[in-house]
Amino acid sequence: MMALPGGHHLDSIPLPGQQLHLMQVDSVQRWMEDLKLMTECECMCVLQAKPISLEEDMQGDLILAGGPNPGDPLQLLLKRGWVISTELRRIGQKLAQDRWARVHSMSVRLTCHARSMVSEYSAVNRSSSQEMSQIEKLLMEKCSELSAVTERCLQVENEHVLKSMKACVSETLSTLGQHFGQLLELALTREVQALVRKIDASDNIYTTESTTGNLFSLTQEGAPLCRIIAKVDGILCLADILTDNSHPEATRAEAAAVVAQVTSPHLPFTQHLSSFLESMEEIVTALIKLCQEASSGEVFLLASAALANITFFDTMACEMLLQLNAIRVLLEACSDKQRVDTPYTRDQIVTILANMSVLEQCASDIIQENGVQLIMGMLSEKPRSGNPAEAAACERVQQKAAVTLARLSRDPDVAREAVRLSCMSRLIELCRSPSERNSSDAVLVACLAALRRLAGVCPEGLQDSDFQQLVQPRLVDSFLLCSNMEESFV
């Protein structure tokens, strides 16, 4: 995935049995499209820059053959941007290896790609801002400077001089990367703004659905695109879709998917979400309603994932969820196999419960809805296949269930109910048997913490050996003991 300098790819939520438009991602089709970027370099680059020699990495050269659809500026920017980002990274690698012939040839090719991106984007967007024009000029000047200085390096044999020139090349490359990142962000921001305006102005449900799907696709390109969507008030646009019942469920689910990605706690920024606070109550209300009325597991997963991320973002969301009887909605859904039948979905539910459990009122709601029994069941979450992603999701469910139990057990009524349901026995089993927790250290720590909290309220539920090994020592000592246990030791 292409990402702006400083960004990283954000993994999407795993989705089973995918039926919605946003989930119909054809990996073969994507691979076929990317093949266009991996053909041999065009003749101009060969004649201008490539020496007549065979190097082991020549076949990895990147070039856009034919290019993206000329009528789609977003795809043009993303694909050209991916190629240029890759070239910048590879030039840096060759520079570190002092492979000057390759550095120069790739610098010339980089100039060709940059010039193509500027000219192609100008052709589909004839009106360019003064800021964009200025950065385009700076970018092309740095490209020319890089080609010129790397060509001079080919003529230098003195290692001391070459070393000083290498620092100059490195600085030029860094500045070039900054200009490229600035230009790409400006252009992408402009195009995302156009998408958001298109959604706002549309009264056609099919246009709204397809354009919202385009926004979701952009979130898959990495954290910088999520930040841009939020920066141009995409959140407010999505709130309008979520709260408008005239939109089909599929469209509202796609809007929820975009919210889930943009509010991910894994993103390295939060300042872009200031506008989100203005619509948070409306969004949270619409999402819990979508969970309650979801006709499929896919829709419930997307809505609950968005809610889970929002509870990380602001504790006020947890208070809103309490007022909306979210605990009852979520726990009732757990008994509905049509909506909740995968560890991925239970991961979202237990995340919400774990974050809500910091509120004192949450404990009474959990008891009233028989939630302790549900949490007990989550401690036994097991994968149904050998899929590593599913196994990881089961680990997260177990860990967060233990965290939720530990937090809720501040309330003596919850602790006594947990003991009555034999939660302590299950926690001890998870601590002592690595296979029960898939050898997860995170699950072990959470279970030890929960066990100690329960033991503080009901110490009579523990055998002496369990107390002496799992509760009495320092947490780190119990952790080391359990993490080094053999399967036969019970």
Side-chain angles (χ1 to χ4, degrees):
M1 293 290 183
M2 184 279 301
L4 301 180
H8 61 78
H9 176 62
L10 176 64
D11 291 336
S12 60
I13 304 167
L15 298 169
Q18 301 166 341
Q19 296 177 354
L20 296 177
H21 167 71
L22 66 90
M23 303 171 208
Q24 295 172 339
V25 179
D26 190 333
S27 57
V28 176
Q29 181 181 353
R30 181 63 181 264
W31 173 70
M32 293 284 286
E33 291 175 356
D34 288 347
L35 279 180
K36 298 176 184 178
L37 311 179
M38 302 175 67
T39 58
E40 282 298 320
C41 201
E42 60 193 46
C43 294
M44 180 179 66
C45 285
V46 173
L47 294 175
Q48 286 189 2
K50 292 177 74 174
I52 304 176
S53 63
L54 295 176
E55 291 198 35
E56 70 278 6
D57 57 350
M58 284 284 188
Q59 294 183 351
D61 291 342
L62 298 170
I63 192 70
L64 269 174
N69 184 343
D72 189 347
L74 258 174
Q75 287 303 311
L76 185 153
L77 290 169
L78 291 173
K79 292 192 175 186
R80 282 288 182 191
W82 178 80
V83 172
I84 293 174
S85 296
T86 303
E87 289 286 10
L88 283 167
R89 175 176 52 81
R90 292 179 61 194
I91 291 174
Q93 292 172 347
K94 300 306 176 189
L95 180 63
Q97 299 167 1
D98 294 328
R99 299 185 59 183
W100 292 104
R102 293 292 289 143
V103 169
H104 177 59
S105 65
M106 294 169 73
S107 298
V108 173
R109 189 167 60 247
L110 175 67
T111 302
C112 294
H113 288 313
R115 185 178 294 113
S116 295
M117 185 181 82
V118 170
S119 62
E120 289 170 3
Y121 185 66
S122 297
V124 295
N125 279 277
R126 300 185 183 280
S127 58
S128 180
S129 68
Q130 183 177 356
E131 185 181 11
M132 282 187 66
S133 298
Q134 184 178 2
I135 296 177
E136 286 173 3
K137 181 180 178 182
L138 291 172
L139 174 64
M140 296 316 303
E141 286 177 353
K142 281 298 174 183
C143 284
S144 299
E145 182 181 330
L146 182 66
S147 297
V149 71
T150 54
E151 184 175 15
R152 288 199 301 272
C153 289
L154 291 175
Q155 317 301 323
V156 176
E157 296 182 359
N158 186 301
E159 290 187 7
H160 181 72
V161 175
L162 202 56
K163 185 176 181 180
S164 64
M165 294 184 73
K166 182 177 180 179
C168 177
V169 172
S170 180
E171 183 179 351
T172 302
L173 190 64
S174 176
T175 305
L176 192 157
Q178 292 173 12
H179 291 328
F180 164 68
Q182 291 169 351
L183 178 61
L184 189 58
E185 175 153 351
L186 281 173
L188 287 172
T189 299
R190 180 175 178 172
E191 296 307 320
V192 173
Q193 279 179 323
L195 274 182
V196 172
R197 284 196 296 267
K198 185 176 180 181
I199 294 174
D200 281 336
S202 174
D203 55 2
N204 184 301
I205 60 173
Y206 301 106
T207 300
T208 302
E209 181 177 358
S210 63
T211 310
T212 306
N214 291 339
L215 276 183
F216 176 78
S217 297
L218 288 178
T219 64
Q220 304 301 287
E221 297 293 338
L225 269 298
C226 292
R227 177 172 51 78
I228 289 173
I229 290 171
K231 185 175 68 173
V232 300
D233 290 335
I235 293 287
L236 301 179
C237 173
L238 295 167
D240 291 340
I241 294 174
L242 284 168
T243 56
D244 187 348
N245 289 329
S246 67
H247 288 298
E249 182 187 71
T251 303
R252 286 180 285 137
E254 296 214 63
V258 181
V259 172
Q261 295 289 5
V262 173
T263 57
S264 171
H266 301 295
L267 294 180
F269 43 79
T270 55
Q271 66 274 16
H272 68 295
L273 291 173
S274 56
S275 63
F276 174 76
L277 292 172
E278 303 173 18
S279 305
M280 185 166 70
E281 185 172 2
E282 293 179 356
I283 291 175
V284 168
T285 303
L287 287 172
I288 199 65
K289 183 180 180 182
L290 190 57
C291 285
Q292 190 170 17
E293 300 175 352
S295 63
S296 68
E298 291 84 0
V299 173
F300 186 93
L301 172 59
L302 294 171
S304 59
L307 281 174
N309 287 349
I310 291 171
T311 59
F312 279 111
F313 177 63
D314 197 294
T315 54
M316 187 168 61
C318 296
E319 297 172 358
M320 291 177 183
L321 286 171
L322 272 178
Q323 295 171 4
L324 294 167
N325 295 318
I327 290 177
R328 177 179 56 80
V329 172
L330 295 173
L331 297 184
E332 285 180 355
C334 288
S335 60
D336 181 0
K337 297 298 182 183
Q338 184 176 354
R339 287 185 290 168
V340 181
D341 194 31
T342 71
Y344 304 114
T345 308
R346 281 186 283 273
D347 181 21
Q348 308 309 321
I349 292 173
V350 74
T351 298
I352 298 170
L353 294 178
N355 287 337
M356 291 180 67
S357 64
V358 300
L359 303 175
E360 290 186 8
Q361 185 186 342
C362 182
S364 60
D365 287 8
I366 287 285
I367 291 178
Q368 185 176 346
E369 300 295 335
N370 296 319
V372 178
Q373 187 169 359
L374 174 76
I375 296 169
M376 170 71 175
M378 289 181 171
L379 289 172
S380 299
E381 189 77 34
K382 292 286 185 67
R384 288 178 287 186
S385 69
N387 186 338
E390 185 179 357
C394 290
E395 290 176 27
R396 293 194 298 272
V397 171
Q398 288 183 331
Q399 178 199 6
K400 293 171 186 175
V403 168
T404 306
L405 191 60
R407 290 176 177 175
L408 291 173
S409 294
R410 296 188 307 263
D411 186 309
D413 292 336
V414 174
R416 283 190 287 269
E417 177 68 5
V419 172
R420 187 185 72 80
L421 292 170
S422 302
C423 282
M424 292 179 78
S425 298
R426 178 56 183 162
L427 290 169
I428 291 169
E429 185 180 21
L430 285 165
C431 291
R432 292 191 177 279
S433 178
S435 64
E436 288 296 311
R437 62 174 189 271
N438 199 28
S439 300
S440 168
D441 288 344
V443 175
L444 173 57
V445 171
C447 288
L448 284 169
L451 183 62
R452 288 164 180 242
R453 180 62 62 85
L454 289 176
V457 178
C458 302
E460 63 275 8
L462 283 174
Q463 296 181 5
D464 288 343
S465 60
D466 295 326
F467 180 80
Q468 292 169 7
Q469 294 178 346
L470 304 180
V471 176
Q472 191 176 45
R474 295 183 307 161
L475 181 63
V476 65
D477 293 331
S478 294
F479 170 80
L480 292 173
L481 173 68
C482 293
S483 60
N484 292 322
M485 280 182 175
E486 298 291 338
E487 276 302 308
S488 59
F489 183 71
V490 178

